[in-house]
Short mmCIF file of all heavy atoms in Angstrom, two decimals:
data_model
loop_
_atom_site.label_atom_id
_atom_site.label_comp_id
_atom_site.label_asym_id
_atom_site.label_seq_id
_atom_site.Cartn_x
_atom_site.Cartn_y
_atom_site.Cartn_z
N MET D 58 17.03 -88.77 -20.69
CA MET D 58 16.71 -90.15 -21.07
C MET D 58 15.26 -90.22 -21.56
O MET D 58 14.40 -89.52 -21.08
CB MET D 58 16.92 -91.05 -19.85
CG MET D 58 17.14 -92.52 -20.20
SD MET D 58 18.56 -92.83 -21.29
CE MET D 58 19.91 -92.74 -20.10
N THR D 59 15.03 -91.03 -22.56
CA THR D 59 13.69 -91.15 -23.15
C THR D 59 13.12 -92.53 -22.83
O THR D 59 13.75 -93.34 -22.16
CB THR D 59 13.77 -91.00 -24.68
OG1 THR D 59 14.52 -92.09 -25.20
CG2 THR D 59 14.44 -89.69 -25.07
N ASN D 60 11.92 -92.80 -23.36
CA ASN D 60 11.30 -94.11 -23.16
C ASN D 60 11.80 -95.14 -24.17
O ASN D 60 11.46 -96.30 -24.09
CB ASN D 60 9.78 -94.01 -23.29
CG ASN D 60 9.19 -93.26 -22.12
OD1 ASN D 60 9.69 -93.35 -21.01
ND2 ASN D 60 8.13 -92.50 -22.36
N HIS D 61 12.60 -94.67 -25.13
CA HIS D 61 13.07 -95.57 -26.17
C HIS D 61 14.26 -96.40 -25.69
O HIS D 61 14.99 -95.99 -24.80
CB HIS D 61 13.46 -94.78 -27.41
CG HIS D 61 12.29 -94.07 -28.03
ND1 HIS D 61 11.27 -94.73 -28.66
CD2 HIS D 61 11.98 -92.76 -28.07
CE1 HIS D 61 10.37 -93.86 -29.09
NE2 HIS D 61 10.78 -92.65 -28.73
N ARG D 62 14.41 -97.54 -26.34
CA ARG D 62 15.50 -98.43 -25.97
C ARG D 62 16.32 -98.76 -27.20
O ARG D 62 15.81 -98.82 -28.31
CB ARG D 62 14.96 -99.72 -25.35
CG ARG D 62 14.15 -99.45 -24.12
CD ARG D 62 14.18 -100.58 -23.10
NE ARG D 62 13.82 -100.05 -21.79
CZ ARG D 62 14.69 -99.69 -20.86
NH1 ARG D 62 15.98 -99.86 -21.08
NH2 ARG D 62 14.30 -99.21 -19.72
N CYS D 63 17.59 -99.01 -26.96
CA CYS D 63 18.49 -99.44 -28.02
C CYS D 63 17.99 -100.76 -28.58
O CYS D 63 17.66 -101.67 -27.81
CB CYS D 63 19.90 -99.59 -27.46
SG CYS D 63 21.06 -100.31 -28.62
N CYS D 64 17.93 -100.87 -29.92
CA CYS D 64 17.38 -102.09 -30.51
C CYS D 64 18.38 -103.24 -30.47
O CYS D 64 18.04 -104.37 -30.79
CB CYS D 64 16.91 -101.82 -31.94
SG CYS D 64 18.22 -101.49 -33.10
N ARG D 65 19.59 -102.97 -30.09
CA ARG D 65 20.58 -104.05 -30.01
C ARG D 65 20.79 -104.55 -28.59
O ARG D 65 20.69 -105.73 -28.32
CB ARG D 65 21.91 -103.57 -30.57
CG ARG D 65 21.98 -103.62 -32.07
CD ARG D 65 23.42 -103.64 -32.49
NE ARG D 65 23.51 -103.76 -33.94
CZ ARG D 65 24.66 -103.79 -34.60
NH1 ARG D 65 25.78 -103.69 -33.94
NH2 ARG D 65 24.67 -103.92 -35.89
N CYS D 66 21.10 -103.61 -27.69
CA CYS D 66 21.44 -104.05 -26.34
C CYS D 66 20.32 -103.79 -25.34
O CYS D 66 20.37 -104.30 -24.23
CB CYS D 66 22.75 -103.41 -25.88
SG CYS D 66 22.60 -101.65 -25.52
N GLY D 67 19.31 -102.99 -25.74
CA GLY D 67 18.16 -102.80 -24.87
C GLY D 67 18.32 -101.75 -23.79
O GLY D 67 17.41 -101.55 -22.99
N CYS D 68 19.44 -101.06 -23.77
CA CYS D 68 19.60 -100.01 -22.76
C CYS D 68 18.83 -98.77 -23.21
O CYS D 68 18.50 -98.62 -24.39
CB CYS D 68 21.07 -99.69 -22.55
SG CYS D 68 21.83 -98.79 -23.89
N GLY D 69 18.51 -97.89 -22.29
CA GLY D 69 17.78 -96.67 -22.63
C GLY D 69 18.64 -95.76 -23.50
O GLY D 69 19.84 -95.68 -23.30
N VAL D 70 18.02 -95.11 -24.49
CA VAL D 70 18.77 -94.18 -25.32
C VAL D 70 18.37 -92.74 -25.00
O VAL D 70 17.23 -92.47 -24.62
CB VAL D 70 18.55 -94.45 -26.83
CG1 VAL D 70 19.15 -95.79 -27.23
CG2 VAL D 70 17.07 -94.41 -27.19
N THR D 71 19.30 -91.84 -25.15
CA THR D 71 19.04 -90.42 -24.92
C THR D 71 18.48 -89.79 -26.19
O THR D 71 18.54 -90.38 -27.27
CB THR D 71 20.34 -89.68 -24.53
OG1 THR D 71 21.22 -89.72 -25.66
CG2 THR D 71 21.01 -90.34 -23.35
N SER D 72 17.96 -88.58 -26.08
CA SER D 72 17.44 -87.89 -27.26
C SER D 72 18.56 -87.65 -28.27
O SER D 72 18.34 -87.65 -29.47
CB SER D 72 16.76 -86.58 -26.87
OG SER D 72 17.63 -85.80 -26.09
N ASP D 73 19.76 -87.46 -27.78
CA ASP D 73 20.92 -87.30 -28.68
C ASP D 73 21.15 -88.56 -29.49
O ASP D 73 21.45 -88.51 -30.68
CB ASP D 73 22.19 -86.99 -27.87
CG ASP D 73 22.29 -85.52 -27.52
OD1 ASP D 73 21.50 -84.72 -28.05
OD2 ASP D 73 23.16 -85.19 -26.72
N GLU D 74 21.04 -89.70 -28.82
CA GLU D 74 21.28 -90.97 -29.50
C GLU D 74 20.20 -91.25 -30.54
O GLU D 74 20.47 -91.81 -31.61
CB GLU D 74 21.40 -92.10 -28.48
CG GLU D 74 22.71 -92.00 -27.69
CD GLU D 74 22.72 -92.83 -26.42
OE1 GLU D 74 21.64 -93.19 -25.89
OE2 GLU D 74 23.81 -93.10 -25.93
N ILE D 75 18.97 -90.85 -30.23
CA ILE D 75 17.89 -90.98 -31.20
C ILE D 75 18.15 -90.08 -32.40
O ILE D 75 18.02 -90.51 -33.55
CB ILE D 75 16.54 -90.62 -30.54
CG1 ILE D 75 16.16 -91.72 -29.55
CG2 ILE D 75 15.45 -90.45 -31.61
CD1 ILE D 75 14.92 -91.40 -28.73
N ALA D 76 18.56 -88.84 -32.14
CA ALA D 76 18.84 -87.91 -33.23
C ALA D 76 19.97 -88.44 -34.10
O ALA D 76 19.92 -88.37 -35.33
CB ALA D 76 19.22 -86.54 -32.65
N LEU D 77 20.97 -88.99 -33.47
CA LEU D 77 22.10 -89.54 -34.22
C LEU D 77 21.67 -90.75 -35.05
O LEU D 77 22.08 -90.91 -36.20
CB LEU D 77 23.23 -89.93 -33.26
CG LEU D 77 24.60 -90.12 -33.88
CD1 LEU D 77 25.12 -88.83 -34.50
CD2 LEU D 77 25.59 -90.62 -32.85
N SER D 78 20.81 -91.58 -34.49
CA SER D 78 20.28 -92.73 -35.23
C SER D 78 19.54 -92.27 -36.47
O SER D 78 19.69 -92.83 -37.55
CB SER D 78 19.34 -93.55 -34.34
OG SER D 78 20.03 -94.10 -33.24
N MET D 79 18.73 -91.21 -36.31
CA MET D 79 17.98 -90.67 -37.45
C MET D 79 18.93 -90.10 -38.50
O MET D 79 18.73 -90.27 -39.70
CB MET D 79 17.04 -89.56 -36.96
CG MET D 79 15.88 -90.08 -36.16
SD MET D 79 14.86 -88.69 -35.63
CE MET D 79 13.48 -89.56 -34.88
N LYS D 80 19.96 -89.44 -38.01
CA LYS D 80 20.93 -88.82 -38.91
C LYS D 80 21.65 -89.89 -39.74
O LYS D 80 21.85 -89.72 -40.93
CB LYS D 80 21.94 -88.05 -38.06
CG LYS D 80 22.88 -87.19 -38.85
CD LYS D 80 22.22 -85.86 -39.16
CE LYS D 80 23.17 -84.96 -39.92
NZ LYS D 80 22.45 -83.86 -40.56
N LEU D 81 22.02 -90.97 -39.10
CA LEU D 81 22.85 -91.97 -39.76
C LEU D 81 22.02 -93.03 -40.48
O LEU D 81 22.50 -93.64 -41.43
CB LEU D 81 23.77 -92.64 -38.74
CG LEU D 81 24.78 -91.68 -38.07
CD1 LEU D 81 25.58 -92.40 -37.01
CD2 LEU D 81 25.71 -91.07 -39.10
N GLN D 82 20.80 -93.27 -40.04
CA GLN D 82 20.01 -94.36 -40.63
C GLN D 82 18.76 -93.85 -41.35
O GLN D 82 18.00 -94.64 -41.90
CB GLN D 82 19.59 -95.35 -39.53
CG GLN D 82 20.73 -96.21 -39.03
CD GLN D 82 20.65 -96.41 -37.53
OE1 GLN D 82 21.57 -96.12 -36.80
NE2 GLN D 82 19.51 -96.89 -37.07
N GLY D 83 18.54 -92.55 -41.31
CA GLY D 83 17.34 -92.00 -41.96
C GLY D 83 16.30 -91.64 -40.91
O GLY D 83 16.13 -92.34 -39.91
N LYS D 84 15.59 -90.54 -41.18
CA LYS D 84 14.65 -90.00 -40.20
C LYS D 84 13.52 -90.94 -39.86
O LYS D 84 12.89 -90.83 -38.81
CB LYS D 84 14.05 -88.68 -40.72
CG LYS D 84 14.90 -87.48 -40.42
CD LYS D 84 14.18 -86.20 -40.79
CE LYS D 84 15.10 -85.00 -40.59
NZ LYS D 84 14.46 -83.75 -41.00
N GLN D 85 13.20 -91.85 -40.78
CA GLN D 85 12.05 -92.73 -40.55
C GLN D 85 12.42 -93.94 -39.69
O GLN D 85 11.57 -94.75 -39.39
CB GLN D 85 11.46 -93.20 -41.88
CG GLN D 85 12.29 -94.25 -42.63
CD GLN D 85 13.61 -93.68 -43.18
OE1 GLN D 85 13.79 -92.48 -43.27
NE2 GLN D 85 14.53 -94.56 -43.50
N THR D 86 13.67 -94.05 -39.30
CA THR D 86 14.10 -95.23 -38.57
C THR D 86 13.39 -95.37 -37.22
O THR D 86 13.06 -94.37 -36.58
CB THR D 86 15.62 -95.24 -38.35
OG1 THR D 86 16.01 -96.51 -37.85
CG2 THR D 86 16.05 -94.16 -37.36
N ARG D 87 13.13 -96.58 -36.87
CA ARG D 87 12.64 -96.86 -35.51
C ARG D 87 13.67 -97.73 -34.80
O ARG D 87 13.42 -98.25 -33.73
CB ARG D 87 11.29 -97.59 -35.55
CG ARG D 87 10.15 -96.71 -36.00
CD ARG D 87 9.86 -95.59 -34.99
NE ARG D 87 8.84 -94.66 -35.46
CZ ARG D 87 9.10 -93.57 -36.16
NH1 ARG D 87 10.33 -93.27 -36.47
NH2 ARG D 87 8.12 -92.78 -36.54
N GLN D 88 14.80 -97.90 -35.46
CA GLN D 88 15.87 -98.73 -34.91
C GLN D 88 16.88 -97.82 -34.23
O GLN D 88 17.89 -97.47 -34.80
CB GLN D 88 16.56 -99.50 -36.04
CG GLN D 88 15.61 -100.31 -36.89
CD GLN D 88 15.44 -101.71 -36.37
OE1 GLN D 88 16.38 -102.49 -36.34
NE2 GLN D 88 14.25 -102.04 -35.92
N TYR D 89 16.56 -97.42 -33.02
CA TYR D 89 17.46 -96.53 -32.31
C TYR D 89 18.59 -97.32 -31.69
O TYR D 89 18.40 -98.42 -31.20
CB TYR D 89 16.70 -95.76 -31.22
CG TYR D 89 15.52 -95.00 -31.76
CD1 TYR D 89 14.26 -95.14 -31.19
CD2 TYR D 89 15.68 -94.14 -32.84
CE1 TYR D 89 13.18 -94.43 -31.70
CE2 TYR D 89 14.60 -93.42 -33.35
CZ TYR D 89 13.36 -93.58 -32.78
OH TYR D 89 12.29 -92.89 -33.27
N LEU D 90 19.77 -96.71 -31.73
CA LEU D 90 20.94 -97.37 -31.17
C LEU D 90 21.61 -96.46 -30.15
O LEU D 90 21.68 -95.25 -30.34
CB LEU D 90 21.95 -97.68 -32.29
CG LEU D 90 21.50 -98.68 -33.36
CD1 LEU D 90 22.47 -98.65 -34.54
CD2 LEU D 90 21.41 -100.07 -32.79
N CYS D 91 22.11 -97.07 -29.08
CA CYS D 91 22.91 -96.30 -28.14
C CYS D 91 24.27 -96.01 -28.79
O CYS D 91 24.60 -96.58 -29.82
CB CYS D 91 23.08 -97.05 -26.83
SG CYS D 91 24.11 -98.52 -26.95
N LEU D 92 25.04 -95.14 -28.19
CA LEU D 92 26.31 -94.73 -28.81
C LEU D 92 27.23 -95.92 -29.07
O LEU D 92 27.86 -96.00 -30.11
CB LEU D 92 27.03 -93.70 -27.93
CG LEU D 92 26.69 -92.22 -28.15
CD1 LEU D 92 27.72 -91.35 -27.45
CD2 LEU D 92 26.59 -91.86 -29.62
N ASP D 93 27.30 -96.82 -28.12
CA ASP D 93 28.19 -97.97 -28.28
C ASP D 93 27.76 -98.84 -29.47
O ASP D 93 28.59 -99.24 -30.29
CB ASP D 93 28.20 -98.82 -27.00
CG ASP D 93 28.98 -98.13 -25.89
OD1 ASP D 93 30.01 -97.50 -26.19
OD2 ASP D 93 28.55 -98.22 -24.74
N CYS D 94 26.46 -99.12 -29.56
CA CYS D 94 25.97 -99.96 -30.65
C CYS D 94 26.02 -99.21 -31.98
O CYS D 94 26.29 -99.81 -33.01
CB CYS D 94 24.55 -100.43 -30.35
SG CYS D 94 24.46 -101.53 -28.93
N GLN D 95 25.76 -97.90 -31.92
CA GLN D 95 25.84 -97.10 -33.14
C GLN D 95 27.27 -97.10 -33.68
O GLN D 95 27.48 -97.17 -34.90
CB GLN D 95 25.39 -95.65 -32.87
CG GLN D 95 25.32 -94.77 -34.10
CD GLN D 95 24.17 -95.15 -35.01
OE1 GLN D 95 23.01 -94.97 -34.67
NE2 GLN D 95 24.47 -95.70 -36.16
N ALA D 96 28.21 -97.02 -32.79
CA ALA D 96 29.62 -97.05 -33.19
C ALA D 96 29.94 -98.37 -33.88
O ALA D 96 30.58 -98.40 -34.94
CB ALA D 96 30.52 -96.84 -31.98
N ALA D 97 29.47 -99.47 -33.32
CA ALA D 97 29.71 -100.78 -33.92
C ALA D 97 29.01 -100.87 -35.28
O ALA D 97 29.58 -101.34 -36.25
CB ALA D 97 29.20 -101.88 -32.98
N TYR D 98 27.77 -100.38 -35.33
CA TYR D 98 26.97 -100.41 -36.55
C TYR D 98 27.63 -99.58 -37.66
O TYR D 98 27.67 -99.98 -38.82
CB TYR D 98 25.58 -99.87 -36.25
CG TYR D 98 24.64 -99.80 -37.43
CD1 TYR D 98 23.86 -100.91 -37.78
CD2 TYR D 98 24.51 -98.63 -38.16
CE1 TYR D 98 22.99 -100.84 -38.85
CE2 TYR D 98 23.65 -98.56 -39.24
CZ TYR D 98 22.90 -99.66 -39.58
OH TYR D 98 22.04 -99.59 -40.64
N SER D 99 28.14 -98.42 -37.30
CA SER D 99 28.72 -97.50 -38.28
C SER D 99 30.21 -97.73 -38.46
O SER D 99 30.87 -96.97 -39.17
CB SER D 99 28.48 -96.05 -37.85
OG SER D 99 27.11 -95.80 -37.68
N ASN D 100 30.75 -98.74 -37.80
CA ASN D 100 32.16 -99.07 -37.94
C ASN D 100 33.05 -97.89 -37.56
O ASN D 100 33.99 -97.54 -38.26
CB ASN D 100 32.45 -99.51 -39.38
CG ASN D 100 33.62 -100.47 -39.43
OD1 ASN D 100 34.03 -101.00 -38.41
ND2 ASN D 100 34.16 -100.68 -40.61
N THR D 101 32.71 -97.26 -36.45
CA THR D 101 33.51 -96.15 -35.96
C THR D 101 33.67 -96.31 -34.46
O THR D 101 33.40 -97.38 -33.93
CB THR D 101 32.84 -94.80 -36.33
OG1 THR D 101 33.68 -93.73 -35.91
CG2 THR D 101 31.48 -94.65 -35.69
N THR D 102 34.09 -95.25 -33.78
CA THR D 102 34.28 -95.35 -32.34
C THR D 102 33.27 -94.45 -31.63
O THR D 102 32.76 -93.49 -32.20
CB THR D 102 35.69 -94.91 -31.92
OG1 THR D 102 35.85 -93.53 -32.24
CG2 THR D 102 36.74 -95.73 -32.64
N ARG D 103 33.01 -94.78 -30.40
CA ARG D 103 32.12 -93.98 -29.57
C ARG D 103 32.62 -92.54 -29.46
O ARG D 103 31.85 -91.59 -29.46
CB ARG D 103 32.05 -94.64 -28.19
CG ARG D 103 31.04 -94.02 -27.26
CD ARG D 103 31.26 -94.49 -25.84
NE ARG D 103 30.47 -93.65 -24.96
CZ ARG D 103 29.23 -93.95 -24.55
NH1 ARG D 103 28.70 -95.09 -24.90
NH2 ARG D 103 28.55 -93.12 -23.80
N GLN D 104 33.94 -92.38 -29.36
CA GLN D 104 34.54 -91.06 -29.23
C GLN D 104 34.23 -90.19 -30.46
O GLN D 104 33.97 -89.01 -30.34
CB GLN D 104 36.06 -91.17 -29.05
CG GLN D 104 36.50 -91.58 -27.65
CD GLN D 104 36.24 -93.08 -27.38
OE1 GLN D 104 36.09 -93.88 -28.29
NE2 GLN D 104 36.19 -93.44 -26.10
N ARG D 105 34.29 -90.81 -31.64
CA ARG D 105 34.03 -90.05 -32.86
C ARG D 105 32.57 -89.63 -32.94
O ARG D 105 32.25 -88.53 -33.38
CB ARG D 105 34.40 -90.87 -34.09
CG ARG D 105 35.89 -91.06 -34.21
CD ARG D 105 36.26 -91.69 -35.52
NE ARG D 105 35.91 -90.82 -36.64
CZ ARG D 105 36.47 -90.89 -37.84
NH1 ARG D 105 37.40 -91.79 -38.06
NH2 ARG D 105 36.11 -90.08 -38.79
N LEU D 106 31.67 -90.50 -32.51
CA LEU D 106 30.25 -90.16 -32.52
C LEU D 106 29.98 -89.04 -31.51
O LEU D 106 29.20 -88.14 -31.77
CB LEU D 106 29.41 -91.39 -32.18
CG LEU D 106 29.41 -92.50 -33.23
CD1 LEU D 106 28.56 -93.66 -32.77
CD2 LEU D 106 28.91 -91.98 -34.57
N GLN D 107 30.65 -89.12 -30.37
CA GLN D 107 30.47 -88.08 -29.35
C GLN D 107 30.97 -86.74 -29.88
O GLN D 107 30.33 -85.70 -29.67
CB GLN D 107 31.25 -88.48 -28.08
CG GLN D 107 30.95 -87.58 -26.88
CD GLN D 107 29.50 -87.68 -26.44
OE1 GLN D 107 29.03 -88.73 -26.07
NE2 GLN D 107 28.78 -86.56 -26.47
N ALA D 108 32.09 -86.76 -30.59
CA ALA D 108 32.62 -85.53 -31.18
C ALA D 108 31.65 -84.97 -32.21
O ALA D 108 31.45 -83.76 -32.31
CB ALA D 108 33.98 -85.81 -31.82
N LEU D 109 31.02 -85.87 -32.97
CA LEU D 109 30.01 -85.47 -33.95
C LEU D 109 28.83 -84.80 -33.26
O LEU D 109 28.36 -83.74 -33.68
CB LEU D 109 29.55 -86.72 -34.70
CG LEU D 109 28.84 -86.56 -36.04
CD1 LEU D 109 29.75 -85.89 -37.06
CD2 LEU D 109 28.41 -87.93 -36.55
N LEU D 110 28.38 -85.41 -32.19
CA LEU D 110 27.27 -84.84 -31.41
C LEU D 110 27.63 -83.46 -30.90
O LEU D 110 26.84 -82.52 -30.99
CB LEU D 110 26.94 -85.75 -30.22
CG LEU D 110 26.03 -86.94 -30.48
CD1 LEU D 110 25.87 -87.75 -29.20
CD2 LEU D 110 24.67 -86.47 -30.97
N ASP D 111 28.84 -83.35 -30.36
CA ASP D 111 29.29 -82.06 -29.82
C ASP D 111 29.28 -81.00 -30.91
O ASP D 111 28.88 -79.87 -30.68
CB ASP D 111 30.71 -82.19 -29.25
CG ASP D 111 30.70 -82.99 -27.95
OD1 ASP D 111 29.62 -83.19 -27.38
OD2 ASP D 111 31.79 -83.42 -27.54
N ARG D 112 29.71 -81.41 -32.12
CA ARG D 112 29.76 -80.44 -33.21
C ARG D 112 28.35 -80.00 -33.61
O ARG D 112 28.11 -78.82 -33.84
CB ARG D 112 30.50 -81.03 -34.41
CG ARG D 112 30.87 -79.97 -35.43
CD ARG D 112 31.96 -80.42 -36.36
NE ARG D 112 31.44 -81.32 -37.38
CZ ARG D 112 32.01 -82.50 -37.68
NH1 ARG D 112 33.09 -82.89 -37.06
NH2 ARG D 112 31.49 -83.26 -38.59
N TYR D 113 27.43 -80.93 -33.68
CA TYR D 113 26.06 -80.57 -34.02
C TYR D 113 25.48 -79.64 -32.97
O TYR D 113 24.77 -78.69 -33.28
CB TYR D 113 25.19 -81.82 -34.15
CG TYR D 113 25.42 -82.58 -35.42
CD1 TYR D 113 25.61 -83.95 -35.39
CD2 TYR D 113 25.44 -81.94 -36.65
CE1 TYR D 113 25.81 -84.67 -36.55
CE2 TYR D 113 25.65 -82.64 -37.82
CZ TYR D 113 25.83 -84.01 -37.77
OH TYR D 113 26.03 -84.72 -38.91
N HIS D 114 25.78 -79.93 -31.73
CA HIS D 114 25.27 -79.07 -30.66
C HIS D 114 25.84 -77.66 -30.77
O HIS D 114 25.13 -76.68 -30.60
CB HIS D 114 25.66 -79.66 -29.30
CG HIS D 114 24.71 -80.70 -28.82
ND1 HIS D 114 23.37 -80.47 -28.64
CD2 HIS D 114 24.90 -81.99 -28.47
CE1 HIS D 114 22.78 -81.57 -28.22
NE2 HIS D 114 23.68 -82.52 -28.13
N ARG D 115 27.12 -77.59 -31.06
CA ARG D 115 27.80 -76.29 -31.11
C ARG D 115 27.30 -75.45 -32.26
O ARG D 115 27.04 -74.26 -32.11
CB ARG D 115 29.31 -76.51 -31.23
CG ARG D 115 30.07 -75.84 -30.12
CD ARG D 115 31.59 -75.91 -30.23
NE ARG D 115 32.13 -76.64 -31.33
CZ ARG D 115 32.62 -77.88 -31.23
NH1 ARG D 115 32.61 -78.50 -30.08
NH2 ARG D 115 33.14 -78.48 -32.28
N THR D 116 27.19 -76.07 -33.43
CA THR D 116 26.84 -75.30 -34.62
C THR D 116 25.35 -75.07 -34.75
O THR D 116 24.92 -74.08 -35.31
CB THR D 116 27.33 -76.03 -35.88
OG1 THR D 116 26.73 -77.31 -35.93
CG2 THR D 116 28.85 -76.19 -35.84
N GLY D 117 24.56 -76.02 -34.25
CA GLY D 117 23.11 -75.89 -34.39
C GLY D 117 22.65 -76.03 -35.83
O GLY D 117 21.54 -75.63 -36.17
N ILE D 118 23.49 -76.61 -36.71
CA ILE D 118 23.13 -76.70 -38.13
C ILE D 118 22.06 -77.74 -38.38
O ILE D 118 21.36 -77.68 -39.37
CB ILE D 118 24.35 -77.01 -39.03
CG1 ILE D 118 25.11 -78.21 -38.49
CG2 ILE D 118 25.25 -75.79 -39.14
CD1 ILE D 118 26.17 -78.72 -39.44
N CYS D 119 21.95 -78.72 -37.50
CA CYS D 119 20.96 -79.77 -37.72
C CYS D 119 19.83 -79.62 -36.72
O CYS D 119 20.06 -79.63 -35.51
CB CYS D 119 21.61 -81.15 -37.60
SG CYS D 119 20.43 -82.46 -37.93
N SER D 120 18.60 -79.51 -37.23
CA SER D 120 17.45 -79.27 -36.35
C SER D 120 17.13 -80.48 -35.49
O SER D 120 16.35 -80.38 -34.54
CB SER D 120 16.24 -78.89 -37.18
OG SER D 120 15.93 -79.92 -38.10
N LEU D 121 17.72 -81.63 -35.82
CA LEU D 121 17.46 -82.82 -35.01
C LEU D 121 18.09 -82.69 -33.63
O LEU D 121 17.66 -83.31 -32.67
CB LEU D 121 18.05 -84.06 -35.69
CG LEU D 121 17.30 -84.63 -36.90
CD1 LEU D 121 18.12 -85.72 -37.54
CD2 LEU D 121 15.95 -85.17 -36.49
N PHE D 122 19.13 -81.87 -33.58
CA PHE D 122 19.87 -81.76 -32.33
C PHE D 122 19.51 -80.47 -31.60
O PHE D 122 19.65 -79.38 -32.14
CB PHE D 122 21.38 -81.78 -32.60
CG PHE D 122 21.82 -83.08 -33.22
CD1 PHE D 122 21.83 -83.23 -34.59
CD2 PHE D 122 22.19 -84.15 -32.44
CE1 PHE D 122 22.20 -84.42 -35.19
CE2 PHE D 122 22.57 -85.35 -33.01
CZ PHE D 122 22.58 -85.48 -34.38
N ALA D 123 19.04 -80.63 -30.41
CA ALA D 123 18.68 -79.45 -29.61
C ALA D 123 19.96 -78.69 -29.25
O ALA D 123 20.97 -79.29 -28.92
CB ALA D 123 17.95 -79.87 -28.36
N ARG D 124 19.89 -77.39 -29.35
CA ARG D 124 21.06 -76.61 -28.96
C ARG D 124 21.17 -76.55 -27.45
O ARG D 124 20.19 -76.39 -26.75
CB ARG D 124 20.93 -75.18 -29.49
CG ARG D 124 21.24 -75.11 -30.97
CD ARG D 124 21.16 -73.69 -31.43
NE ARG D 124 20.37 -73.63 -32.66
CZ ARG D 124 20.31 -72.57 -33.47
NH1 ARG D 124 20.94 -71.48 -33.12
NH2 ARG D 124 19.60 -72.61 -34.56
N GLN D 125 22.39 -76.66 -26.96
CA GLN D 125 22.61 -76.63 -25.52
C GLN D 125 22.52 -75.21 -24.98
O GLN D 125 22.12 -74.98 -23.86
CB GLN D 125 23.95 -77.27 -25.17
CG GLN D 125 23.86 -78.79 -25.23
CD GLN D 125 25.22 -79.46 -25.16
OE1 GLN D 125 26.23 -78.91 -25.62
NE2 GLN D 125 25.28 -80.64 -24.60
N ASN D 126 22.91 -74.24 -25.81
CA ASN D 126 22.84 -72.85 -25.40
C ASN D 126 22.04 -72.03 -26.40
O ASN D 126 22.60 -71.40 -27.28
CB ASN D 126 24.26 -72.25 -25.28
CG ASN D 126 25.10 -73.02 -24.29
OD1 ASN D 126 24.72 -73.17 -23.14
ND2 ASN D 126 26.23 -73.51 -24.74
N PRO D 127 20.72 -72.09 -26.29
CA PRO D 127 19.88 -71.44 -27.28
C PRO D 127 19.98 -69.90 -27.23
O PRO D 127 20.33 -69.37 -26.20
CB PRO D 127 18.47 -71.90 -26.93
CG PRO D 127 18.54 -72.31 -25.52
CD PRO D 127 19.95 -72.79 -25.26
ZN1 ZN F 113 22.99 -100.46 -27.43
#
């Protein structure tokens, strides 16, 4: 958990959620969204975003996402 908060609901966001916000809204964004709000914003589901996160973690193709098994 980080010191950042979701700009919609105000709950704390994780580093993954920040990385996903940057990925979907541009790296310069300061509008971080939690997974639930990001799903609503992107017109998708939380499950799909989670699957996306898992894929980024697994492949390590995006430097925004820390690898779980370096
Ligand atoms: Zn939120």
Side-chain angles (χ1 to χ4, degrees):
M58 202 58 79
T59 65
N60 290 327
H61 296 291
R62 301 209 159 262
C63 172
C64 68
R65 279 201 177 180
C66 72
C68 73
V70 293
T71 65
S72 53
D73 278 350
E74 288 164 340
I75 290 174
L77 197 63
S78 296
M79 289 179 174
K80 189 84 178 163
L81 298 176
Q82 287 141 236
K84 274 188 185 177
Q85 74 291 344
T86 190
R87 289 294 175 270
Q88 306 269 296
Y89 304 128
L90 296 168
C91 69
L92 271 194
D93 287 322
C94 294
Q95 185 71 69
Y98 178 87
S99 303
N100 208 14
T101 183
T102 64
R103 187 194 167 94
Q104 283 74 20
R105 291 189 64 158
L106 292 179
Q107 190 63 60
L109 198 62
L110 277 178
D111 288 345
R112 194 161 77 229
Y113 284 132
H114 276 302
R115 237 185 358 258
T116 59
I118 51 170
C119 182
S120 59
L121 285 172
F122 297 89
R124 283 182 227 193
Q125 283 169 329
N126 301 304

